[in-house]
Amino acid sequence: MKKVIMDCDPGHDDMVAIMLAIADEDIDLLGITTVAGNQTGDKTFRNALRILTLLNRKDIPVARGFDKPLVRELKTAPAFHGVSGLDGADLPEPEVTPLKKHAVDFITDTLMKSDGGIYLVPTGPLTNVAVALLKEPRIKEKIERIVLMGGGVFDSNTTPAAEFNFYVDPEAAKIVFESGVPITMVGLDVTDKAIFSFEDIDRLGGFGGKVSSVVAPLLRFFGNANKEIYGFDGAPLHDALALSVLINPNVVKTRFLHVDIETKGEFTRGESVADVYGITGKAPNAEVAMDLDLPLFKEIVFSHIRKLDESMAD
Ligand code: RIB
Ligand code: CA
């Protein structure tokens, strides 16, 4: 059983990642923390509560984190996720009572009380995780691995150099990559290929279950936005691919590389600079996903959503 804390900015693909974590029998989701990113902090927090309400998992702790990056002004992504951050279908109003503590305190308290071996899965800007590492460095011994969605070796989406999560808070990403904690970086090189096509979305909608019947229109909204802006043939499930690494590590192939995060560049803010050829001589600090098994990933998504449908059946 893998003990997991997710830190996210739901967000359509964050939502699928949460669903995979909840559906998987080998994952013990200790809690969800939220951060501003895809939408403002109040909206990503509300969306996490709505997702757990939909799944009738009011037992999973949720704590709200930062509403802005460490240094920069917040940039959101309404073009992809809509005004609510989860446009495309009606999710229930929240019926979950969130924790009163801050996300950073939930992360540090949970880790420090544990025997260790906990996975952190951040799928938004890394503000909460960075501050947790600064506030309580001793958590480093308690973290098994940080499996994050972010960055890209050869791919980008927010500027020609940077991926959204790292662009929004490059200083936080730098802190995480320099922390010494084992990292698996699931970046755009593989997540831009983790496309749930419109045919896949139709297949999901055909399941006819309580969860799939909400997820399908949400992914259609997200897929249409990505088609319009990037020409994708569907919804890139960035965050779900990152979480799926915990379900089956064979879903990606990684290389152990040194990655620096650019925080000073005029044109390169937030770039994940991966030393693919070992030119710097710097010791590698991240397992960087370079290829994916798309059929395996899709099967993980289909099978886990189907399990949630079954768990919600009358
Ligand atoms: O660049 C893609 C990432 O930014 C994903 O995590 C998506 O949810 C957004 O947060
Ligand atoms: Ca995200």
Side-chain angles (χ1 to χ4, degrees):
M1 184 69 86
K2 290 190 176 74
K3 295 175 288 180
V4 175
I5 297 172
M6 293 185 71
D7 182 78
C8 54
D9 60 337
H12 293 72
D13 53 327
D14 303 76
M15 172 194 70
V16 180
I18 291 169
M19 290 180 168
L20 297 186
I22 289 175
D24 194 80
E25 58 204 14
D26 293 329
I27 289 178
D28 177 8
L29 184 56
L30 302 180
I32 295 172
T33 54
T34 63
V35 66
N38 283 323
Q39 257 300 351
T40 53
D42 57 330
K43 292 179 178 179
T44 59
F45 178 59
R46 178 169 175 269
N47 288 337
L49 301 177
R50 293 167 80 197
I51 293 162
L52 292 181
T53 303
L54 170 72
L55 302 179
N56 199 22
R57 287 302 306 270
K58 302 167 189 173
D59 56 303
I60 295 175
V62 182
R64 180 171 171 180
F66 285 98
D67 287 345
K68 72 174 293 296
L70 295 179
V71 177
R72 318 277 180 157
E73 286 311 305
L74 175 64
K75 173 183 174 57
T76 58
F80 294 96
H81 300 278
V83 171
S84 73
L86 266 179
D87 281 16
D90 290 331
L91 282 164
E93 284 308 302
E95 293 171 11
V96 175
T97 307
L99 299 178
K100 292 204 181 335
K101 67 170 67 173
H102 190 279
V104 169
D105 297 327
F106 175 77
I107 293 169
T108 55
D109 291 349
T110 303
L111 287 167
M112 291 311 292
K113 280 190 295 203
S114 78
D115 297 332
I118 294 178
Y119 290 85
L120 284 191
V121 181
T123 59
L126 288 163
T127 318
N128 293 336
V129 176
V131 173
L133 288 164
L134 294 177
K135 182 167 186 275
E136 182 47 272
R138 292 180 298 168
I139 63 173
K140 293 180 184 180
E141 295 96 62
K142 302 283 189 177
I143 300 170
E144 180 69 25
R145 176 169 287 271
I146 296 175
V147 180
L148 61 85
M149 192 281 139
V153 178
F154 302 109
D155 201 349
S156 62
N157 62 5
T158 303
T159 68
E163 174 278 329
F164 180 78
N165 292 333
F166 288 8
Y167 176 83
V168 170
D169 201 338
E171 285 74 17
K174 180 179 176 63
I175 289 166
V176 172
F177 275 79
E178 293 180 352
S179 68
V181 175
I183 291 171
T184 296
M185 178 181 124
V186 183
L188 293 173
D189 310 284
V190 289
T191 69
D192 272 350
K193 297 178 187 141
I195 302 284
F196 224 58
S197 71
F198 293 106
E199 292 72 28
D200 294 325
I201 294 168
D202 289 342
R203 177 182 163 197
L204 193 67
F207 284 9
K210 276 186 183 166
V211 178
S212 52
S213 57
V214 174
V215 171
L218 283 165
L219 294 189
R220 196 166 287 109
F221 174 93
F222 188 49
N224 286 335
N226 277 274
K227 182 172 180 59
E228 196 176 311
I229 297 167
Y230 292 132
F232 289 169
D233 174 39
L237 299 184
H238 307 284
D239 301 334
L241 182 64
L243 193 284
S244 69
V245 170
L246 293 189
I247 296 172
N248 185 335
N250 297 319
V251 76
V252 294
K253 282 194 175 24
T254 65
R255 284 189 60 195
F256 195 35
L257 302 172
H258 183 83
V259 178
D260 285 309
I261 307 296
E262 178 57 64
T263 58
K264 298 186 175 60
E266 180 183 354
F267 303 108
T268 54
R269 153 194 166 165
E271 180 175 6
S272 47
V273 184
D275 187 2
V276 174
Y277 301 109
I279 294 168
T280 67
K282 292 181 185 174
N285 58 350
E287 288 291 348
V288 179
M290 302 302 285
D291 199 1
L292 84 159
D293 181 333
L294 184 55
L296 174 58
F297 171 60
K298 288 187 178 183
E299 190 39 45
I300 289 171
V301 176
F302 281 125
S303 61
H304 282 64
I305 300 289
R306 191 184 288 279
K307 259 201 269 183
L308 291 173
D309 274 347
E310 288 162 3
S311 71
M312 301 288 290
D314 297 327

